[in-house]
Structure formats: C-alpha cells, structure tokens
Amino acid sequence: MIALLQAGYAEPHAARYDAATMGMFVLIIAIGVIGFIVQARLQSVFKKYSKVQFPGGLTGAEVAEKMLRDNNIHNVKVTHVGGHLTDHFNPQTMTVNLSDSVYSSSSVAAAAVAAHECGHAVQHARGYAPLTLRSQLVPVVQFASTAATWVIILGLVILASTQNELLCWIGVGMIAMSALFSLVTLPVEYNASARAVEWLQTSRTMQGAQLAQAKEALSWAARTYLVAALSAIASVLYYVFLILGRRD
C-alpha cells in the first residue's frame, strides 16, 4: 500500500492519481476489517466477563457510586439508560449513565465499564485538559460533520468548471475537525480506563484474576477508539487525494 502511494508521486498525473487512489482504497478496507475484528473481540470479551462474578458482589451502579464517593465527587448522579454498551458520562447533566447490561449486573465487565465512565467524571472534576477540549469541540464537530460532504460536493462542481479549489479545501478542513475530535478522544478514553483500573486496584474492589480481566475488557474498548481515529484520518486523506486527482 505504501509503495502504491509513493509510486504515485513519481509517475505521470493519471498514473499518480490511480496509484494513490488504489492505496487509499486498500487503507480504508484494511481499517474497516480491523475495526470489525476489534468490535467483534470487544463484544466477545464483554460477553465472557459478563458471566464472571467478582467477590464484592456490587452492581455496576454500586461500583460507580462508590468510585464517585471515594473521589469526593458528590454532584454526579448514577442513572440507568437503555441499550447495550451505551454507557456514558454526560457533563451537561452531571450524570453517569449505565446501560441495561451494566447498571444492575455484578459482573467483572459491568464493574469495569462503570468505573471507566466514572473515570470521565473524575476527569471533569479535576479539569483534565483533553476532556475540556473535546467538550469544546462537540458543537463544532456536529456542524462540520453534517455540512462537510455537501461543501466538498459543491466544491468539486466549482473545481470542474473554474479550477477554484477553495471550497473543496474548506470541506476537507471540516472533515479534519472530526479527525481532530477522534484524536483528542484517544487520551480521554485511555486516561479514563487508567483511572478506573487504578481505583479498582487501590480500593480493593477487584484483585488478582478479576482485575486482569477488567484490564483486558477496558483495553479492547479503548482499541475501538484507536480504530475510529485511524478511520477519520483515512477519510481526510481520501478527500485530499480526490481533490488532487480532480485538479490533475
């Protein structure tokens, strides 16, 4: 794939575009396959450790409440939401929202997920910079992701008739905002998992094999965000090569 991309810059315009495009298609397909594998593995690990009860016998909701108390966070409420693995921390409502498979379950997987979401609450309480930046990017990304495709399509039409690339590059910049959001999300998610594991260990909520299982579940969850970031970067590169190809 890399050879295809490199070869594209040493050949005539048409061949360069074809080689670069082929390289991008290979990259996108590879990321898609990896994403499918990671997601399937996450589901498998979560299902496996959802059947493993840890000695404390606390439910996901009780684990979350305990972690919040231990971190002196008293303004965050633990609530229940529908769905599977729809767990999230909402800084607007100051709630840790736990899904059906986590809220009332006393499994290793439920405790790990609950602690991870509380890790975000701890980040918020401590003013963790990447989380603050991600929150600030949310409205920008919501607008950009909605409008970007239409901006690029209009830009390509203008490029075909006037050779003016400005609108195309504005569209690429909007897509790049989503990529930036995905990149900022990486330290936020990895740090939340690290905080969760540290608390599970120091509070003796989990030890030994159960702690190792929680770490494994959280590591696979984190990898889904890594794949998402790679996919977002690939999307930006795809549109860059598309514009360059139309220019040629």
Side-chain angles (χ1 to χ4, degrees), residues 24 27-28 31 179 228-241:
M24 284 309 305
L27 177 62
I28 291 170
I31 292 174
L230 292 175
S231 179
I233 293 171
S235 295
V236 174
L237 293 175
Y238 169 78
Y239 283 107
V240 168
F241 282 118

Side-chain angles (χ1 to χ4, degrees), residues 6-201:
Q6 290 175 335
Y9 287 98
E11 297 174 0
H13 291 323
R16 181 177 72 195
Y17 175 64
D18 290 342
T21 301
M22 180 62 70
M24 284 309 305
F25 278 133
V26 172
L27 177 62
I28 291 170
I29 291 172
I31 292 174
V33 171
I34 293 171
F36 175 81
I37 293 172
V38 169
Q39 190 63 40
R41 180 59 180 164
L42 171 62
Q43 296 290 340
S44 174
V45 168
F46 186 84
K47 182 178 180 180
K48 177 182 177 181
Y49 295 141
S50 290
K51 299 176 182 178
V52 178
Q53 304 297 305
F54 67 97
L58 299 176
T59 65
E62 291 169 336
V63 168
E65 289 167 352
K66 186 175 187 296
M67 183 171 173
L68 291 173
R69 286 196 305 271
D70 287 354
N71 283 276
N72 295 314
I73 298 174
H74 305 289
N75 62 337
V76 174
K77 182 179 179 181
V78 178
T79 65
H80 173 265
V81 293
H84 177 62
L85 294 180
T86 52
D87 313 85
H88 63 282
F89 167 67
N90 189 332
Q92 271 72 47
T93 58
M94 296 301 286
T95 55
V96 169
N97 304 278
L98 303 179
S99 63
D100 295 329
S101 53
V102 172
Y103 187 85
S104 58
S105 172
S106 57
S107 68
V108 167
V113 172
H116 172 87
E117 297 308 330
C118 286
H120 289 308
V122 175
Q123 289 174 337
H124 185 269
R126 306 290 187 269
Y128 183 60
L131 178 66
T132 302
L133 176 58
R134 187 176 74 167
S135 298
Q136 292 171 343
L137 286 174
V138 167
V140 178
V141 172
Q142 286 177 336
F143 169 76
S145 61
T146 301
T149 301
W150 295 107
V151 171
I152 288 180
I153 291 174
L154 180 58
L156 289 173
V157 172
I158 294 174
L159 175 61
S161 57
T162 67
Q163 298 301 307
N164 189 326
E165 301 175 352
L166 179 59
L167 196 58
C168 289
W169 293 117
I170 290 175
V172 170
M174 296 171 76
I175 292 176
M177 291 302 299
S178 295
L180 175 61
F181 183 83
S182 295
L183 289 173
V184 172
T185 294
L186 287 178
V188 173
E189 296 300 329
Y190 276 93
N191 180 264
S193 290
R195 290 175 189 267
V197 171
E198 180 183 9
W199 175 79
L200 288 170
Q201 185 173 18

